[in-house]
């Protein structure tokens, strides 16, 4: 598993997916803090603008991962979910000031199990 994820294309995929997830998380949840006093449609339009940046990173990440790194679509999806959780938890705790719960640990362990099964062999 580790060898498959250390190629330059794999590392580029991971970096792009992390950056993509920062934008995605901000688009999906940032409006709960930043635009809480605005109508929902304003939050939606702002979120769409932020999501555009997310897509400009996510699409090349998946293309590089699939075409150059040789990752399967299932591997890319699990990688995306692991990265999503790794980005979301600090965002929720630090930025949105949500309590850190033990449930995050259990969810992370489930994701580690999913990643193991997708990347083994």
């Amino acid at each position: 598993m580790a060898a498959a994820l250390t190629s330059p294309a794999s590392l580029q995929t991971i970096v792009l997916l992390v950056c993509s997830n920062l934008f995605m998380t901000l688009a999906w949840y940032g409006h709960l803090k930043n635009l809480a006093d605005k109508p929902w449609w304003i939050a939606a339009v702002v979120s769409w603008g932020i999501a555009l940046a997310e897509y400009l990173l996510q699409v090349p990440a998946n293309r590089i991962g699939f075409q150059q790194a040789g990752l399967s679509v299932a591997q890319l999806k699990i990688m995306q979910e692991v990265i999503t959780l790794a980005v979301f938890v600090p965002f929720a705790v630090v930025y949105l000031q949500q309590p850190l719960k033990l449930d995050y640990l259990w969810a992370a362990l489930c994701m580690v199990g999913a990643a193991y099964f997708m990347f083994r062999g």
Side-chain angles (χ1 to χ4, degrees), residues 25-38:
T25 303
L26 185 61
W28 283 21
Y29 302 104
H31 63 87
L32 298 174
K33 179 177 180 179
N34 299 328
L35 301 171
D37 59 337
K38 303 290 187 226

Side-chain angles (χ1 to χ4, degrees), residues 72-84:
S72 71
V73 174
Q75 288 173 324
L76 286 166
K77 181 59 180 169
I78 292 300
M79 185 184 301
Q80 171 73 24
E81 295 303 328
V82 169
I83 291 169
T84 296

Side-chain angles (χ1 to χ4, degrees), residues 5-60:
L5 296 179
T6 57
S7 74
S10 294
L11 293 176
Q12 189 176 9
T13 298
I14 292 167
V15 168
L16 286 169
L17 286 175
V18 168
C19 294
S20 163
N21 264 276
L22 292 169
F23 283 105
M24 179 192 72
T25 303
L26 185 61
W28 283 21
Y29 302 104
H31 63 87
L32 298 174
K33 179 177 180 179
N34 299 328
L35 301 171
D37 59 337
K38 303 290 187 226
W40 73 265
W41 61 270
I42 291 175
V45 170
V46 170
S47 292
W48 284 341
I50 296 168
L52 174 61
E54 184 253 334
Y55 274 92
L56 292 173
L57 295 167
Q58 178 269 338
V59 170

Side-chain angles (χ1 to χ4, degrees), residues 105-119:
L105 174 63
W106 305 135
L109 289 174
C110 289
M111 297 304 295
V112 166
Y116 167 77
F117 286 111
M118 291 310 303
F119 288 94

